[in-house]
Amino acid sequence: MSNWDPWSSSGGSASEVTAFCFILLASLNKISLVNRPAGAGTAGVLSLCVGSEDRTPKKRFSEVQNERREQAQRTVLIHCPDKINEKKFLKFLSQHGPINSHFFYESFGLYAAVEFCQKESVTSLQNITRTPSLGPEAAIPFKSRYLNLKLRNSLNQTSELSSIQCSNQSSPSSKKLYQLLCCAESVDDQLNTLLREFQLTEENTRLRYLTCSLIEDVAAAYFPDCAVRPFGSSVNSFGKLGCDLDMFLDLDEIGKFTAQKTSGNFLMEFQVKNVPSERVATQKILSVIGECLDQFGPGCVGVQRILNARCPLVRFSHQASGFQCDLTTNNRIALKSSELLYMYGALDSRVRALVFSVRCWARAHSLTSSIPGAWITNFSLTMMVIFFLQRRSPPILPTLDYLKTLADAEDKCIIEGHNCTFVGDLNRIKPSRNTETLELLLKEFFEYFGNFAFNKNSINIRQGREQNKPESSPLHIQNPFETSLNVSKNVSQSQLQKFVDLARESAWILHQEGKDRPSPSSNQPWGLAALLLPSVANNMSLSKKKKKPASERIKNLLDSIKSSGAENSTATNGRRAISTQA
Ligand code: GTP
Ligand code: MG
């Protein structure tokens, strides 16, 4: 039986003792609303207020994916001169059919993404587009949807040209972030500000789907019915501006098409080449697609074929969008994981704010890295936040087992023998009754994992409770679908210890903050700013060197706070209850 019962108020975890001390203070804090741009990130389905208040119908992940994919197919990407007359540009393009939307952005030059209302308009535009003559060099005549606009008689047009308003594709500088966080009204406001500044914008999301669609055109030269689908943080609602673009080549549609056409007493099959295993097939497919991207793919540079990795992939930069891309194949389970994270992100507005803060915190302290290694990954961190939110009382997020009980026939999903079934209709999940503030949750997150028995327990979002570790890796987070796997198998003991130490220090800083917050005008880093800024991160590691072993001392201090909190459980002043003179 699941522990997810939104109407239950019973139960109580160890961390609730401290939670109690904060509860009155927390209830006084205003819960800030996130001012999300319309349709931002995952098609604007996410709520703007805490859990139970939002009643807007929410779209299924598959609906969002299909809509975005179809939109991308009607879109062209155009490299423009630095200055352009926007009105004339749009008039020129609309000769090919009505335009639904467009935006400009900069990435080593000015680009426009133009979405037509109909797909035919794209073909019409391609029909009047010429292959350039490049002087002594020769062009490979590949007709894609990535185009180049040149001005005829540019001298005559100079007076009409103007600079264009570009949509922002990058996250704020550390300095700007510092200012924004220091000016915030509360820690909750800080977390929501961070989310607002770092989350993928509507335009960035469109560009990600468009890039996949352009790569699909290249792959379709070999596999006409293929699809290239984005997954990971580009679509799971936890992507930060600048994150990589994970995509996979989906060849399943080819098989389905064949199956539909067979009837009667005969079974017709394609003649194909056989290879020894699925892995070899994947390697061969990615090898030719990698070659194709390298030789003919407009804007694809630095193509690396990493075919001997556990999950073979082609890595490249898509110059026009500025994305670092990882292309894999047969990655349906990863797409299902993305759907699951998307659901969790959409269930309660606190989830994304907390995940973004924890991800940014981990990055600021070099707990995560873009280079593969013994570090914890963003995916693992997200699983930890989800698990923590399942452990609150009342829980903020349901367990995966509970989501499975809500599934109907349409949701049934078995991939490679793994049961990946869970409810796809978000509207069938009741909102949580938990009203804890982000400030409290962030502090409790650090405290929870600062004291977690990593040596014996595994994190399991399927059941929403700790389990005995089935193997000896320092950090064990059960893969939600391939349940015999550990998603954090790569994490070393020293990296885990660093995480624990920093979590304890951060819990401590937030405790102290609660007592003694500098005024916004003092320009002192406080709250989230005190945890995130690189200078602060450095200071923290310096202070750690001076006062070894800080981690244990902090743990003891936090423990003493807890027990004094328990003793003073009748106290009415949250601030007084958590203060310590230790
Ligand atoms: P960032 O790229 O760091 O922003 O986050 P991400 O979620 O996109 O992570 P990453 O690019 O490393 O991986 C892409 C997706 O692959 C993840 O979102 C997961 O769905 C999946 N994935 C990553 N690591 C693992 C793993 O260890 N096990 C499993 N089963 N899936 C993983
Ligand atoms: Mg990624």
Side-chain angles (χ1 to χ4, degrees):
M1 187 56 192
S2 159
N3 68 353
W4 170 250
D5 176 3
W7 311 115
S8 153
S9 59
S10 63
S13 63
S15 54
E16 271 178 277
V17 178
T18 327
F20 181 85
C21 304
F22 269 101
I23 209 81
L24 283 166
L25 173 64
S27 64
L28 295 174
N29 281 346
K30 204 174 76 200
I31 297 169
S32 315
L33 303 187
V34 182
N35 212 352
R36 204 154 194 270
T42 40
V45 295
L46 305 174
S47 62
L48 301 184
C49 52
V50 166
S52 57
E53 292 162 32
D54 185 37
R55 289 269 152 214
T56 327
K58 294 164 180 170
K59 284 184 187 168
R60 280 173 182 261
F61 180 74
S62 55
E63 273 178 82
V64 176
Q65 288 257 315
N66 291 340
E67 281 175 17
R68 291 283 190 190
R69 185 173 137 78
E70 195 273 324
Q71 178 181 53
Q73 287 168 342
R74 290 183 279 106
T75 305
V76 292
L77 184 59
I78 306 175
H79 182 225
C80 301
D82 288 347
K83 287 193 172 178
I84 188 174
N85 183 317
E86 186 172 355
K87 220 167 150 187
K88 284 195 171 175
F89 169 67
L90 294 176
K91 194 171 167 207
F92 164 71
L93 290 175
S94 52
Q95 293 173 75
H96 302 279
I99 293 169
N100 206 32
S101 73
H102 75 284
F103 65 90
F104 290 92
Y105 69 94
E106 271 172 349
S107 167
F108 300 106
L110 180 68
Y111 290 85
V114 181
E115 179 205 350
F116 285 100
C117 295
Q118 289 136 9
K119 236 176 170 175
E120 294 71 39
S121 305
V122 174
T123 318
S124 166
L125 176 61
Q126 281 174 319
N127 285 341
I128 59 110
T129 301
R130 60 175 201 152
T131 301
S133 48
L134 301 169
E137 294 176 357
I140 295 172
F142 187 79
K143 291 188 172 181
S144 73
R145 281 178 289 135
Y146 173 25
L147 312 171
N148 200 24
L149 181 77
K150 288 201 165 169
L151 296 179
R152 276 198 182 131
N153 309 322
S154 54
L155 282 178
N156 298 350
Q157 299 191 38
T158 316
S159 59
E160 297 174 347
L161 304 181
S162 59
S163 300
I164 297 287
Q165 177 95 30
C166 284
S167 93
N168 179 32
Q169 302 294 319
S170 51
S171 47
S173 65
S174 305
K175 193 174 163 206
K176 174 149 184 246
L177 181 65
Y178 173 90
Q179 285 166 348
L180 287 169
L181 294 182
C182 288
C183 293
E185 282 177 12
S186 62
V187 175
D188 282 47
D189 194 16
Q190 288 184 323
L191 267 78
N192 282 322
T193 300
L194 186 94
L195 172 63
R196 200 171 52 235
E197 293 295 319
F198 278 92
Q199 71 187 351
L200 301 185
T201 58
E202 166 64 19
E203 290 82 8
N204 197 273
T205 300
R206 282 182 184 221
L207 204 49
R208 284 169 189 269
Y209 279 87
L210 175 57
T211 304
C212 288
S213 186
L214 296 175
I215 301 304
E216 183 179 299
D217 289 351
V218 178
Y222 274 97
F223 304 106
D225 295 306
C226 74
V228 171
R229 303 186 192 281
F231 68 99
S233 57
S234 298
V235 299
N236 66 17
S237 81
F238 296 109
K240 266 181 10 189
L241 284 169
C243 69
D244 68 353
L245 172 55
D246 304 291
M247 50 175 98
F248 82 101
L249 179 68
D250 186 355
L251 300 175
D252 277 8
E253 294 302 315
I254 297 174
K256 270 188 208 152
F257 182 71
T258 315
Q260 280 164 12
K261 293 278 164 177
T262 56
S263 62
N265 292 331
F266 296 101
L267 181 69
M268 198 68 91
E269 285 183 343
F270 284 108
Q271 282 283 353
V272 290
K273 284 211 170 191
N274 288 345
V275 290
S277 66
E278 195 68 43
R279 179 173 168 84
V280 175
T282 298
Q283 287 170 329
K284 285 192 183 288
I285 292 166
L286 285 178
S287 177
V288 294
I289 300 295
E291 184 70 18
C292 227
L293 291 175
D294 198 15
Q295 303 291 340
F296 311 123
C300 299
V301 297
V303 179
Q304 299 172 58
R305 286 178 287 174
I306 309 170
L307 303 178
N308 288 323
R310 190 181 64 82
C311 183
L313 72 138
V314 175
R315 177 165 289 169
F316 60 95
S317 295
H318 190 257
Q319 254 183 339
S321 59
F323 297 135
Q324 178 72 32
C325 304
D326 278 352
L327 173 70
T328 53
T329 183
N330 290 339
N331 225 342
R332 290 211 149 256
I333 293 196
L335 186 64
K336 209 63 194 167
S337 306
S338 305
E339 177 176 353
L340 182 66
L341 296 197
Y342 164 87
M343 288 207 62
Y344 278 128
L347 282 178
D348 188 294
S349 64
R350 289 167 292 183
V351 181
R352 294 176 67 240
L354 205 58
V355 169
F356 270 70
S357 297
V358 170
R359 283 184 172 205
C360 285
W361 167 83
R363 194 75 186 91
H365 295 280
S366 307
L367 284 167
T368 50
S369 166
S370 52
I371 308 160
W375 350 107
I376 201 159
T377 62
N378 278 330
F379 183 59
S380 296
L381 284 172
T382 309
M383 302 281 278
M384 289 167 96
V385 175
I386 290 169
F387 182 74
F388 163 74
L389 294 176
Q390 290 173 335
R391 301 295 297 154
R392 303 306 297 165
S393 182
I396 293 178
L397 289 177
T399 66
L400 178 52
D401 275 345
Y402 177 76
L403 294 180
K404 194 172 155 198
T405 64
L406 296 183
D408 57 22
E410 192 193 344
D411 297 318
K412 191 163 184 218
C413 175
I414 311 283
I415 304 171
E416 294 158 23
H418 301 286
N419 192 336
C420 303
T421 305
F422 59 89
V423 63
D425 182 359
L426 282 153
N427 305 300
R428 295 176 60 192
I429 307 164
K430 284 185 187 157
S432 168
R433 290 195 313 124
N434 181 308
T435 56
E436 288 169 319
T437 62
L438 285 169
E439 175 171 4
L440 176 70
L441 291 170
L442 184 64
K443 188 190 69 66
E444 291 277 311
F445 172 86
F446 289 132
E447 213 172 292
Y448 182 79
F449 284 112
N451 293 299
F452 192 85
F454 288 107
N455 56 339
K456 63 176 184 9
N457 286 337
S458 162
I459 291 162
N460 181 322
I461 67 159
R462 183 163 274 284
Q463 299 184 359
R465 57 186 155 84
E466 296 128 24
Q467 291 209 303
N468 288 337
K469 273 207 294 195
E471 38 114 336
S472 61
S473 305
L475 176 60
H476 194 280
I477 303 175
Q478 191 195 55
N479 183 318
F481 301 119
E482 296 165 279
T483 50
S484 63
L485 300 181
N486 173 10
V487 302
S488 51
K489 203 175 170 59
N490 62 312
V491 178
S492 66
Q493 184 58 47
S494 63
Q495 283 300 316
L496 177 63
Q497 193 54 50
K498 188 175 166 191
F499 171 87
V500 169
D501 291 349
L502 283 162
R504 286 176 185 175
E505 291 192 26
S506 300
W508 177 246
I509 287 174
L510 289 177
H511 264 297
Q512 295 302 304
E513 289 281 337
K515 287 195 306 173
D516 194 13
R517 179 162 300 165
S519 72
S521 57
S522 71
N523 216 20
Q524 289 287 310
W526 60 275
L528 190 56
L531 301 186
L532 282 188
L533 290 166
S535 57
V536 179
N538 291 339
N539 289 343
M540 279 171 70
S541 49
L542 277 178
S543 70
K544 210 175 81 187
K545 277 181 198 139
K546 273 190 247 154
K547 298 185 271 177
K548 262 183 172 175
S551 177
E552 270 312 304
R553 206 178 51 245
I554 289 169
K555 180 178 179 308
N556 294 339
L557 285 172
L558 287 169
D559 285 347
S560 73
I561 293 166
K562 272 190 196 171
S563 45
S564 76
E567 280 160 23
N568 295 328
S569 60
T570 52
T572 51
N573 183 331
R575 278 171 193 257
R576 204 169 61 89
I578 59 146
S579 71
T580 174
Q581 303 303 315

